[in-house]
Amino acid sequence: MPRETQASATRRDELLAIAARLFAEKGFKNTTVRDIADAAGILSGSLYHHFDSKESMVDEILQTFQAELFASYDEVLASADDPRTKIERAVRLSFAAIDQHRHEVAIFQNDADHLGSFPRFAYLAERNAQSRNVWMTLLTEGVESGALRQDLDVTLTYRFIRDTVWVAVRWYRPGGGLSHEAIADQYLTILLDGIADA
Amino acid sequence: MPRETQASATRRDELLAIAARLFAEKGFKNTTVRDIADAAGILSGSLYHHFDSKESMVDEILQTFQAELFASYDEVLASADDPRTKIERAVRLSFAAIDQHRHEVAIFQNDADHLGSFPRFAYLAERNAQSRNVWMTLLTEGVESGALRQDLDVTLTYRFIRDTVWVAVRWYRPGGGLSHEAIADQYLTILLDGIADA
DNA sequence: GTCTATACTCGGATAGAC
DNA sequence: GTCTATCCGAGTATAGAC
């Protein structure tokens, strides 16, 4: 790769990281191209040397993140672990994703519904369905193997897990009192065994 | 109350209900006064006969809802029920609020962070702190009374409950397969006893 | 209580100089 | 790769007629 191209790619990535932070903090629609340019120390027009549009930026941010995330889920699904271990692994990797890609997770949480209504972002709905399949598979295997309660409402449980895990991006801050591993541990304890005194 | 005033108040409420629905569906910033006027069958300028600004509308919507919600929490706190019953009541009334005021809950979930940064909406942060106090009190009483595990991380548990309960507004639809009471029951089972086979 | 018309501001995007 | 300058559309809000 020639030096110019490499330097250009780096600048692109810097700009994407800045955009991701602002999209996460203020929402996609509520972030202006001038906001992004200001934060990058350039003028808004200059952004269009790197990207077609504001939409292109969020598109690239989300696609890159989701490709990585679902590769991880697929690894868990394909593994030879027992059902309970698979569920634990899936929960842990989700909290790890919040730790390592919190802006991307926040954008997905806050703006995916709205963005998904445009043809360009149709893949967001597909990824949503894919995520549902992953969890429904894990939970169904859990019930069938006897690891989970036989009377579990699998669909409702899927929603509770999905919501509780991802919504943590609203309050989790890396470097705070709790590591993402510790949060995952605590969460798994509550999820698997409940909060009532045994 | 004279008839004119009453009719006027009714029209106001109609307009607020329309605005609440749109704010909930598309977000506050993403909803235009023309959207609201269109849905009401009038022109945008006419809205300003009833309200000072778009902000005034969301302000009135949120204040009315929160006053009612926190009155309910206070009732639970002040009751003579045992700690576990209080927690169950607080969870149930939250799901009932989602059923009966889903637009208001959705607005609070999606826009409170952003709105709260303006002086006019400083009360949103106060209400947030108040909600935290309610739950921390309930959970602490639960641990002290022996109803809940002694090793529970109360702060983390508070966050999980708050998030899981309110985020249900994203998928709950009244008249769907599950009543809000049934969802509350299932959720309390998971929360108190976990999903693992006993 | 609603309409017509319009002022004002802000946001996304473009063209071409440097 | 960034800047200057600018277009165009959209959004909030206002004034005054009906």
Side-chain angles (χ1 to χ4, degrees):
Chain A
M1 209 183 247
R3 199 198 301 170
E4 285 85 353
T5 307
Q6 199 171 38
S8 175
T10 299
R11 183 55 169 154
R12 249 184 100 81
D13 292 345
E14 276 174 15
L15 294 172
L16 280 180
I18 290 166
R21 178 172 57 79
L22 291 171
F23 291 155
E25 285 169 3
K26 317 180 13 163
F28 175 70
K29 253 225 135 178
N30 203 16
T31 301
T32 72
V33 291
R34 285 177 178 82
D35 289 336
I36 302 169
D38 284 355
I42 59 178
L43 292 189
S44 66
S46 306
L47 274 180
Y48 289 83
H49 174 73
H50 303 276
F51 305 97
D52 281 351
S53 64
K54 198 174 80 160
E55 275 190 7
S56 297
M57 294 189 219
V58 77
D59 197 352
E60 195 166 330
I61 290 165
L62 289 175
Q63 297 229 39
T64 305
F65 166 62
Q66 293 198 323
E68 188 182 323
L69 177 67
F70 281 92
S72 304
Y73 282 136
D74 286 345
E75 223 175 280
V76 173
L77 273 182
S79 78
D81 293 325
D82 65 274
R84 177 163 168 149
T85 303
K86 282 187 185 177
I87 290 172
E88 292 184 1
R89 282 184 62 188
V91 167
R92 284 181 209 284
L93 82 82
S94 302
F95 281 108
I98 292 174
D99 181 63
Q100 286 143 37
H101 302 285
R102 67 186 191 287
H103 298 324
E104 290 84 346
V105 172
I107 296 167
F108 187 74
Q109 280 294 291
N110 299 327
D111 292 309
D113 273 5
H114 173 242
L115 291 174
S117 61
F118 301 98
R120 168 168 199 169
F121 295 97
Y123 65 89
L124 291 174
E126 290 165 28
R127 289 298 198 183
N128 231 331
Q130 193 181 348
S131 160
R132 188 176 193 280
N133 284 340
V134 170
W135 282 106
M136 292 295 277
T137 301
L138 294 177
L139 290 171
T140 304
E141 284 178 6
V143 171
E144 282 169 359
S145 73
L148 303 183
R149 295 170 179 278
Q150 299 305 295
D151 63 341
L152 205 63
D153 182 326
V154 178
T155 301
L156 201 58
T157 305
Y158 150 67
R159 286 182 185 142
F160 282 138
I161 294 177
R162 172 199 63 185
D163 292 344
T164 319
V165 167
W166 293 125
V167 86
V169 76
R170 292 200 179 190
W171 53 263
Y172 173 73
R173 291 294 168 271
L178 284 167
S179 69
H180 66 92
E181 291 96 340
I183 293 172
D185 284 344
Q186 292 270 358
Y187 175 58
L188 282 167
T189 302
I190 295 176
L191 178 69
L192 292 167
D193 299 325
I195 69 173
D197 193 37
Chain B
M1 207 183 250
R3 199 198 303 171
E4 284 85 352
T5 308
Q6 198 172 38
S8 174
T10 298
R11 184 55 168 155
R12 250 183 99 81
D13 291 346
E14 276 175 15
L15 294 172
L16 279 180
I18 289 166
R21 178 172 58 79
L22 291 171
F23 290 156
E25 284 169 3
K26 319 180 12 163
F28 174 69
K29 253 226 135 178
N30 203 17
T31 301
T32 71
V33 292
R34 289 197 238 283
D35 289 336
I36 302 169
D38 284 354
I42 59 178
L43 292 189
S44 66
S46 307
L47 274 180
Y48 290 84
H49 173 74
H50 303 275
F51 304 97
D52 280 352
S53 64
K54 198 174 80 160
E55 275 190 7
S56 296
M57 295 189 218
V58 77
D59 197 350
E60 195 166 330
I61 290 165
L62 289 175
Q63 297 229 39
T64 304
F65 166 62
Q66 294 199 323
E68 188 183 323
L69 177 67
F70 281 91
S72 304
Y73 281 137
D74 286 344
E75 223 175 279
V76 172
L77 272 183
S79 77
D81 293 325
D82 65 273
R84 176 162 168 150
T85 303
K86 283 187 185 178
I87 290 172
E88 292 183 1
R89 281 184 62 188
V91 166
R92 285 181 209 284
L93 82 82
S94 302
F95 281 108
I98 292 174
D99 180 64
Q100 285 141 39
H101 302 284
R102 67 186 190 288
H103 298 325
E104 290 84 346
V105 172
I107 296 167
F108 187 74
Q109 279 294 291
N110 298 327
D111 292 310
D113 273 5
H114 172 243
L115 291 173
S117 62
F118 301 99
R120 168 167 200 169
F121 295 97
Y123 66 89
L124 291 174
E126 291 165 27
R127 288 297 199 184
N128 232 330
Q130 193 181 347
S131 159
R132 188 177 194 279
N133 284 340
V134 170
W135 281 106
M136 293 295 278
T137 301
L138 294 176
L139 291 171
T140 304
E141 284 178 4
V143 171
E144 283 169 359
S145 72
L148 303 183
R149 295 169 179 277
Q150 298 305 296
D151 63 340
L152 205 63
D153 182 328
V154 177
T155 302
L156 201 58
T157 305
Y158 150 66
R159 286 181 186 143
F160 282 138
I161 294 177
R162 173 199 62 184
D163 293 343
T164 320
V165 167
W166 293 126
V167 86
V169 76
R170 292 200 179 189
W171 53 263
Y172 173 73
R173 291 294 168 270
L178 284 168
S179 69
H180 67 91
E181 290 96 341
I183 293 172
D185 283 344
Q186 292 270 358
Y187 174 59
L188 282 167
T189 302
I190 295 176
L191 177 69
L192 292 166
D193 299 324
I195 70 173
D197 194 37

